Amino acid sequence: MSMAALPALREVSIQELLVSDLPSKRIHTDYDVERWKSTRGYRDYGLFLRRLNESVVGYTLPWIEPMSEATALMISTLDMLDRWIDEIPPLPTPQRFGNLAFRSWGRRLETEADTLLTSLLPAQLHPAIPYVVPYFLTSFGSFIRMDYGSGHEASFALLLLCLTLIRFFLPEPIYERELVLCVFVRYLRLCWRLQDVYNLEPAGSHGVWGLDDSHFLGYIFGSGQLRDQTEIPVSAVLRSPLPATNLYFMQIMRIHEVKHGPFHEHSSQLHSIAVGVASWAKVNSGLFKMYEAEVLGKRVVVQHLPLGGLLDWDTVVASHVPHSQEQATSSSSSHASLGGRTPTARHSSIVDPAANMASITPFPSHSTSVATRYSDPYPHHNRPDACGSIVPSRMPLGPTASTSLRPRSGPSHMGPPTTASTTTVTSDSAALSRRDHHDNGNEVGGKA
């Protein structure tokens, strides 16, 4: 999909904003996740990500063009946060994860957030500060748990969306390109330094079964940069070191900095994509689907996001929503089960993203309609997706768990042969058989 095919992002005036509720945590149950997917705020976020992705197709790093004033101010703000790390060094504490100095850094951010945003925004946008500061404060990690994950990354993307809705950033390709290649890159480097200096724990990491311990959007934007070219194959990511010419390569090299050992062992999802997906276009579309299923569709991730205000929670843009929490829960569990059982966290990231989206995107046809507070800013034929999904159904399928996103056995995909694992399974089965035979002969009230 080209940029021309995407609708423009709506504008929210200060007058309209001041009559809305302040952002707060609205997601507490799985039903709330489903409801969020039907709101205008969710659709705005999906459209925003699609526009950012399209704006960088064919462009490389580093970005050397002159930056707009808004972009330069945002980067200056991130530079100041980076300097705070030097002023608040880590404490000599023996914790395995999380240095207590990170809480001091966080307290300083909470104290000075309003001042920073006042310096960032022009005077006419100062009334919007209470509506954007919650996203600013949750963009760099949890100061209580001392961890960082894709939910915090999503908070920063939502911050950029909010600043675009009030037109601090303009929703035009040249400025959206700066948000990715300048602002987001600077944000990544700041977060990597926070993670390294304060030893932040990955929030909700799936370990070897996850795409990345902490980040996701860099892979989407990076695969978007590479999408329409054919000179660099997907498998090129296996030949490190990689040049920092796109966000996907930057993320891969970051993994090599923090993890050691064979790539196919500690990053099996990324390895499977590299050896099993034919084109960057399919990688890009597949990662969008995976992001919706594994980040935006997970209550444990999005329950911490502040919603409302600029991220409209009250306006429902889908035709129907589930009329009961039980209906949403039963629908979700029936699609997510593996062999009749609820999947563990280890398996949740390797379930087919397309199957996940099938369970979270459509809404039951017999549900009760919900009236909207405001008129729909997008004509029905020009919506990003009529059902609220961030990926139009006509997009290529991309990588799925049954092809490239599921770890495969054999030396060509996952390294060493699996003979040892087969032997282990056989021996375990034999041991289980012997135990069952022994138990049958020693039942209660019986004799061997």
Side-chain angles (χ1 to χ4, degrees):
M1 178 182 291
S2 65
M3 179 68 79
L6 292 173
L9 195 67
R10 68 189 180 96
E11 180 178 1
V12 179
S13 66
I14 296 297
Q15 291 74 20
E16 179 184 356
L17 180 62
L18 294 179
V19 299
S20 60
D21 296 331
L22 289 173
S24 61
K25 294 181 180 180
R26 309 292 183 99
I27 297 177
H28 306 287
T29 66
D30 291 338
Y31 170 75
D32 295 331
V33 177
E34 299 302 316
R35 187 190 185 285
W36 182 45
K37 291 176 179 293
S38 69
T39 64
R40 183 164 64 176
Y42 183 87
R43 193 175 64 181
D44 285 341
Y45 184 48
L47 173 60
F48 183 63
L49 293 182
R50 296 290 302 179
R51 290 185 62 90
L52 293 184
N53 182 73
E54 292 300 323
S55 72
V56 298
V57 173
Y59 289 87
T60 61
L61 291 170
W63 183 250
I64 58 176
E65 299 295 328
M67 293 183 294
S68 64
E69 181 181 0
T71 299
L73 287 171
M74 190 69 198
I75 290 180
S76 295
T77 302
L78 296 175
D79 288 340
M80 178 173 292
L81 299 181
D82 199 316
R83 289 193 295 272
W84 290 0
I85 301 176
D86 298 324
E87 300 170 10
I88 307 174
L91 299 175
T93 53
Q95 284 118 322
R96 178 171 177 264
F97 279 115
N99 191 282
L100 293 175
F102 182 58
R103 291 179 177 171
S104 300
W105 191 93
R107 283 192 295 269
R108 184 169 181 179
L109 178 65
E110 292 169 349
T111 301
E112 301 190 23
D114 287 344
T115 302
L116 290 173
L117 291 175
T118 300
S119 300
L120 175 68
L121 300 177
Q124 66 270 23
L125 296 181
H126 286 177
I129 289 178
Y131 296 87
V132 300
V133 72
Y135 304 101
F136 188 50
L137 292 175
T138 54
S139 292
F140 307 100
S142 169
F143 308 130
I144 298 176
R145 299 184 304 273
M146 293 188 291
D147 61 12
Y148 177 93
S150 55
H152 302 107
E153 180 187 63
S155 288
F156 185 74
L158 290 171
L159 170 66
L160 298 182
L161 167 61
C162 289
L163 295 178
T164 305
L165 290 175
I166 61 176
R167 293 304 187 262
F168 175 69
F169 296 119
L170 298 178
E172 300 174 10
I174 184 172
Y175 303 116
E176 291 166 329
R177 193 172 303 127
E178 290 181 358
L179 288 183
V180 178
L181 303 184
C182 300
V183 175
F184 188 75
V185 169
R186 184 65 186 91
Y187 166 76
L188 274 184
R189 296 192 183 280
L190 170 60
C191 289
W192 291 344
R193 191 168 181 226
L194 287 170
Q195 293 162 28
D196 292 343
V197 172
Y198 298 125
N199 196 27
L200 302 185
E201 182 177 8
S205 169
H206 292 158
V208 68
W209 301 106
L211 185 73
D212 188 287
D213 283 344
S214 303
H215 298 277
F216 203 114
L217 290 177
Y219 296 98
I220 291 180
F221 298 144
S223 60
Q225 289 177 266
L226 295 164
R227 191 183 70 190
D228 289 352
Q229 57 80 42
T230 57
E231 296 179 358
I232 304 174
V234 181
S235 60
V237 302
L238 301 177
R239 299 189 289 270
S240 62
L242 300 170
T245 54
N246 62 81
L247 279 159
Y248 201 100
F249 285 4
M250 287 178 61
Q251 295 272 191
I252 295 293
M253 291 309 298
R254 168 65 179 174
I255 289 179
H256 285 296
E257 291 179 5
V258 299
K259 293 185 177 182
H260 305 286
F263 185 72
H264 67 268
E265 291 184 359
H266 60 63
S267 301
S268 62
Q269 289 270 31
L270 292 167
H271 183 270
S272 296
I273 292 173
V275 300
V277 184
S279 67
W280 285 108
K282 289 195 172 184
V283 173
N284 189 234
S285 62
L287 287 176
F288 261 112
K289 295 176 182 179
M290 191 175 181
Y291 184 72
E292 184 168 21
E294 298 300 322
V295 178
L296 303 184
K298 298 298 184 184
R299 178 176 56 83
V300 294
V301 177
V302 298
Q303 66 185 353
H304 303 293
L305 296 177
L307 300 172
L310 286 162
L311 268 296
D312 195 346
W313 173 263
D314 296 319
T315 304
V316 177
V317 295
S319 299
H320 301 90
V321 295
H323 60 263
S324 70
Q325 179 175 346
E326 292 77 14
Q327 184 183 61
T329 304
S330 62
S331 174
S332 176
S333 61
S334 64
H335 285 277
S337 61
L338 294 175
R341 296 180 296 174
T342 300
T344 62
R346 167 182 166 180
H347 290 92
S348 63
S349 64
I350 60 172
V351 176
D352 185 350
N356 279 343
M357 290 178 61
S359 66
I360 63 177
T361 300
F363 296 91
S365 59
H366 57 277
S367 302
T368 305
S369 297
V370 179
T372 59
R373 257 178 52 189
Y374 307 104
S375 59
D376 189 346
Y378 306 118
H380 186 275
H381 68 277
N382 206 22
R383 291 179 176 182
D385 184 14
C387 292
S389 170
I390 66 174
V391 181
S393 58
R394 62 180 177 273
M395 291 297 293
L397 179 61
T400 66
S402 61
T403 55
S404 62
L405 292 184
R406 176 180 296 164
R408 303 178 183 180
S409 61
S412 62
H413 297 287
M414 294 302 298
T418 58
T419 305
S421 61
T422 304
T423 304
T424 302
V425 173
T426 305
S427 62
D428 288 346
S429 299
L432 181 61
S433 177
R434 290 195 299 270
R435 188 187 69 184
D436 292 342
H437 177 73
H438 181 269
D439 290 344
N440 291 335
N442 290 277
E443 295 177 345
V444 175
K447 296 182 180 180

